Amino acid sequence: MKPLSSEELVKMREACRIAAEVLDRTCKFVEEGVTTYDIDQFAKRTMAELGCTSPCINYKPASNIPAFPRYICVSVNEEVIHGIGTLNRVIRDGDIVSLDVVTAYNGFVGDNTRTVLVGNVPADVRKLCEVTEGALYAGISAARAGNRVSDISRAVERFVKPHGYGIVREFCGHGVGRSMHDEPQVPNYYSRGEGKMKLRPGMTLAIEPMICLGSRFVKTEADGWTITTRDGKPAAHYEHTILVTEGDPEVLTVLS
Ligand code: MF3
Ligand code: CO
């Protein structure tokens, strides 16, 4: 992606702040007894209230993939990403619920994700969530001008590795700004010869580790969207949109 100008950055900051607000409010809505459909409808209403839109609804990345039918992604337990809210899935005590909220406002896009822990989550799953959030911040710390995309990937991988968790490889972070998905791809593992792009001030990236309690292998469900772990074990997902600066990276998807 082209680095954003300071005028563009003013709008980007606003878009990201709103994405954070929608995510934060929607996380607070999650509790035992609500359905994943209710959660999506709550996010829809919140977006309308804040005057932003969802780039996800009806999103169709390829002709062989059905249009995404919801406003946000709601992924429970073994669902890793791209979960489709449904009236049949009721949140239960002990669930973990990843909410991936992307919003568009005044021509710019903010993207952020958090995994919500509901009630009595087993200690090993709580640990998974803590480590995944830690891995996000490790990745953010590496997003410095002069570093390469691969430095972010390596930082995430190194943070996760001692815990023995599976790191999803099929999906990555990404540039984000005027559109939801821009260059470069930001993988959560190091791969020799990849991620050569140098980071420059003004670049805005979505960094988003997707980490599995068990093995890293995933599959796509019959709905064409929901990505689940093959072993059925839970996965966590945390994401921020960040800005590369001359100094420390700046997290854009924060509340004001
Ligand atoms: N937030 C997701 C990402 O970072 C995009 C959601 S996919 C959609 O790639 F279908 F919901 F749009
Ligand atoms: Co993203």
Side-chain angles (χ1 to χ4, degrees):
M1 64 170 299
K2 241 173 97 232
L4 301 186
S5 69
S6 54
E7 292 75 28
E8 289 174 314
L9 253 178
V10 171
K11 295 179 186 170
M12 182 60 177
R13 278 180 205 287
E14 185 78 348
C16 288
R17 194 185 56 70
I18 289 171
E21 181 79 39
V22 175
L23 175 60
D24 192 65
R25 291 198 200 178
T26 310
C27 284
K28 289 173 175 147
F29 178 80
V30 175
E31 63 177 11
E32 205 183 331
V34 303
T35 70
T36 55
Y37 184 82
D38 297 332
I39 296 169
D40 188 71
Q41 287 292 301
F42 179 87
K44 172 192 179 174
R45 288 197 301 275
T46 306
M47 288 184 201
E49 200 175 303
L50 296 177
C52 61
T53 58
S54 165
C56 296
I57 183 100
N58 292 321
Y59 178 58
K60 197 171 165 52
S63 57
N64 60 332
I65 298 173
F68 189 76
R70 298 288 182 267
Y71 291 84
I72 66 170
C73 302
V74 183
S75 309
V76 184
N77 297 340
E78 77 288 353
E79 297 171 350
V80 186
I81 51 167
H82 300 169
I84 294 175
T86 147
L87 286 168
N88 306 323
R89 189 134 196 186
V90 181
I91 300 303
R92 294 297 179 208
D93 180 65
D95 283 348
I96 60 169
V97 186
S98 296
L99 302 184
D100 187 343
V101 170
V102 192
T103 62
Y105 182 79
N106 198 14
F108 287 83
V109 176
D111 187 0
N112 59 172
T113 304
R114 205 186 299 159
T115 301
V116 180
L117 291 78
V118 181
N120 264 312
V121 174
D124 58 341
V125 181
R126 280 205 310 267
K127 179 79 184 173
L128 168 73
C129 294
E130 264 167 43
V131 170
T132 305
E133 189 170 23
L136 166 61
Y137 284 97
I140 292 171
S141 298
R144 305 186 72 87
N147 276 2
R148 298 179 190 273
V149 168
S150 58
D151 291 305
I152 301 173
S153 305
R154 194 191 275 109
V156 171
E157 184 173 33
R158 279 198 179 145
F159 191 91
V160 173
K161 203 140 198 195
H163 301 279
Y165 299 142
I167 300 178
V168 173
R169 300 174 81 106
E170 290 82 354
F171 300 89
C172 296
H174 48 91
V176 57
R178 285 198 183 270
S179 68
M180 176 161 63
H181 293 133
D182 203 342
E183 293 269 86
Q185 288 209 97
V186 184
N188 294 303
Y189 62 96
Y190 176 76
S191 171
R192 200 156 53 85
E194 283 177 59
K196 292 279 184 214
M197 185 189 284
K198 276 229 175 151
L199 302 177
R200 294 159 63 195
M203 284 183 165
T204 45
L205 303 175
I207 301 178
E208 48 177 321
M210 292 150 253
I211 309 297
C212 309
L213 186 62
S215 93
R216 70 171 180 85
F217 296 103
V218 296
K219 61 179 195 285
T220 307
E221 294 298 316
D223 62 23
W225 274 102
T226 309
I227 305 298
T228 55
T229 57
R230 284 195 175 261
D231 62 13
K233 293 184 181 174
H237 183 201
Y238 288 78
E239 174 179 36
H240 273 305
T241 300
I242 64 100
L243 170 69
V244 179
T245 75
E246 301 281 359
D248 292 338
E250 188 183 324
V251 179
L252 298 181
T253 38
V254 287
L255 304 174
S256 51

